[in-house]
Amino acid sequence: MTTALPAPVPATAVRRSPAPRLQLVGDRPPAVSAHGIGGARVGYLVFLPADADPAAVMIAHGIRPETHPLEPGTLPAPEPEPAPHPDAVQLDDAVRVDSARRLVEVDGRELDLTYLEFNLLAHLVAHPYTVHTREALISDIWGYGHIGDGRTVDVHVARLRRKLGPAHRGRITTVRRVGYQYVPDHQ
């Protein structure tokens, strides 16, 4: 592995401000013209004393400040959030997940699932035909970077398949060397 260190900044490129807390480093990038119009744009984060006028400091260093004052009512109206849809029932032709009551029914029969088994099945049913890697499932369902191997997901999927029963266990399909997907119409 190689590590690249930043190039040293020549002393001529450092301009000191009259205020001891401000230091502008470097010149304008070559792709930007003197008027600030051009290819690349560079932004700087500069900390100033509370009583300093940023525009005056920029002018003193030969930088033309661009200000865009906002007046009340000029901000675009935020887009309305979509109406919350009731996630009480997610339907499949045979597997029904009720997230509000944390129940799963298969052909009218209620399954007895653990907390993580329910979350895993609800996630898979909510995203049918999507291939989920073991790592993504660990992150989405367990909620942290799991220390260990992907066997944790494999064990939970095996338990889910067993609880779904022989008629429906094939709905959770294995994508070799990748992960799992839920196929609602699998027979």
Side-chain angles (χ1 to χ4, degrees):
M1 174 166 65
T2 59
T3 303
L5 298 175
V9 177
T12 58
V14 176
R15 290 179 280 168
R16 301 235 181 248
S17 164
R21 292 189 182 105
L22 175 65
Q23 182 178 11
L24 299 175
V25 180
D27 291 322
R28 288 183 186 91
V32 178
S33 71
H35 301 290
I37 302 171
R41 300 269 178 164
V42 176
Y44 296 97
L45 176 62
V46 179
F47 294 97
L48 298 173
D51 58 346
D53 178 21
V57 172
M58 293 172 76
I59 291 169
H61 286 82
I63 301 171
R64 185 175 59 93
E66 292 183 28
T67 58
H68 304 281
L70 295 176
E71 295 181 20
T74 59
L75 291 176
E79 293 185 26
E81 293 186 22
H85 57 81
D87 64 334
V89 179
Q90 297 174 357
L91 289 176
D92 179 343
D93 53 342
V95 178
R96 186 175 143 222
V97 178
D98 185 342
S99 297
R101 298 187 308 157
R102 294 191 61 84
L103 295 175
V104 174
E105 292 181 356
V106 176
D107 291 332
R109 172 180 54 95
E110 187 176 321
L111 296 185
D112 182 26
L113 300 178
T114 67
Y115 179 82
L116 288 172
E117 289 170 346
F118 175 86
N119 289 348
L120 178 59
L121 184 60
H123 183 77
L124 292 171
V125 169
H127 304 94
Y129 305 106
T130 302
V131 177
H132 303 275
T133 64
R134 289 169 177 84
E135 294 78 20
L137 289 171
I138 286 284
S139 175
D140 293 343
I141 305 305
W142 279 255
Y144 57 90
H146 180 70
I147 299 174
D149 60 11
R151 291 295 299 159
T152 301
V153 176
D154 298 343
V155 168
H156 280 80
V157 167
R159 289 180 185 164
L160 273 177
R161 286 176 173 159
R162 199 170 23 248
K163 290 181 179 183
L164 286 172
H168 302 291
R169 71 178 50 172
R171 292 173 186 260
I172 301 175
T173 62
T174 302
V175 180
R176 290 186 187 258
R177 301 179 59 95
V178 178
Y180 298 96
Q181 71 176 339
Y182 183 78
V183 181
D185 52 0
H186 190 273
Q187 298 299 331

